[in-house]
Amino acid sequence: MTAPLEDPWPAPRARGAVDAVVTLPGSKSLMNRALILAALADGPSVVRRALRSRDSLLMAGALTALGASVDTDGEDWAVTPATFDRDASIDVGLAGTVMRFVPPVAAIGTGLVSFDGDPYMRQRPIGEILGALRALGAAVEGDALPFSLRGSGSVPGGVVTIDASGSSQFVSALLLAGARYDAGVDVRHDGKPVPSLPHIEMTIEMLREHGVSVDDAEPNRWVVAPGPVKAVDHVIEPDLSNAAPFLGLAAVSGGTVTVRDWPRRTTQPGDALRDLLERMGCSVTLTDDGLTVTGTGELTGIDADLHDVGELTPAVAALCALATTPSHLRGIAHIRGHETDRLTALATELGALGADVTEHPDGLSFRPASLHGATFHTYADHRMAHAGVIVGAAVDGVSVENVGTTSKTFTDFAPFWASLF
């Protein structure tokens, strides 16, 4: 059993160049999509190199409550499809993928399914999905957590128009379940640009691997044809967004960090770290062994539109706060609706460490400043904790409150991180 962590947790300070090779847990985004599709499939399948984290275990628990069998013992998880024939209570925790992906799936069942989660989740947007489900023929009670739906054994499906400018998950949620609706789904977006488009591309690619027909030829429209979801085994890639603090450690310490098994081709937004870190002055090399980043110990600021890769913002912002030239991060108004309002949280916490940071409606600007120690609050947000430990590696006296929130996607992150120093 892991020993309890001190809170706030003293972030280790790099006293020299850190050289390390790390193997990361699997991608939460790929993992929870794979579990959803396995529960909808026409036969048993296996999710290999499974991510064991709070989010993935919450997803497994939700699908089990709907009649699936998910064997979470070991590295490979065997999944038998859900029967969708029972009442259920779903705990979404702090997992946006569980809160948003499971209701469209549960709607095809015959039971009364209720949803609730951690207190903060009651503030995260879900109304677009619930309204879309009503328009598609599902019986839904409520417009935010807690809510419930009563299945009749099928969902008519068809055309639905939503505003997905708040989250790409609104689109992915409907696409993942759409093949099991009587008429499929024809999802149309009407609003400001959809953020995090790589995550929708990830959803589409995985659906096609399961034999589902998806037409995405027209901008802001995604059509899923009705039909079976074939059983397919998945091998889960490392979580490239979780690589951000480790690669950032190379950058701030002037060391070299290799993340093993970095895919040559991927739909994960975390792959953008290669370009971002190179622009900030690091040497970046991708080989068959993995991705290697070497830092100089000095960072150059950047002007970057992170609209499609918003989940990288906390780590990138931490690096910008340490840079020797100004930075501007933009296109990320939507991350105000993530685990916390990440723009305000980052401006507040980095500012408390001495960063010269200005918050904008859709981003953050930084000017060079000398940082100092203080407690860095995480707001129960794993990516905020990543930002805190990056700064702590370069600045004396930084303590990270509730560093254990990293268990959302990386169990035992803190002791693993400390072992690198």
Side-chain angles (χ1 to χ4, degrees), residues 136 157-161 183-188 221-224:
L136 292 167
V159 178
V160 65
T161 300
V185 289
D186 182 341
V187 180
R188 304 178 185 191
R221 183 184 180 191
W222 303 266
V223 182
V224 174

Side-chain angles (χ1 to χ4, degrees), residues 97-109:
T97 51
V98 179
M99 179 176 72
R100 293 166 178 160
F101 292 178
V102 176
V105 171
I108 67 175

Side-chain angles (χ1 to χ4, degrees), residues 25-38:
S27 161
K28 179 261 295 185
S29 297
L30 289 169
M31 180 71 190
N32 278 3
R33 283 166 173 79
L35 288 174
I36 285 278
L37 291 168

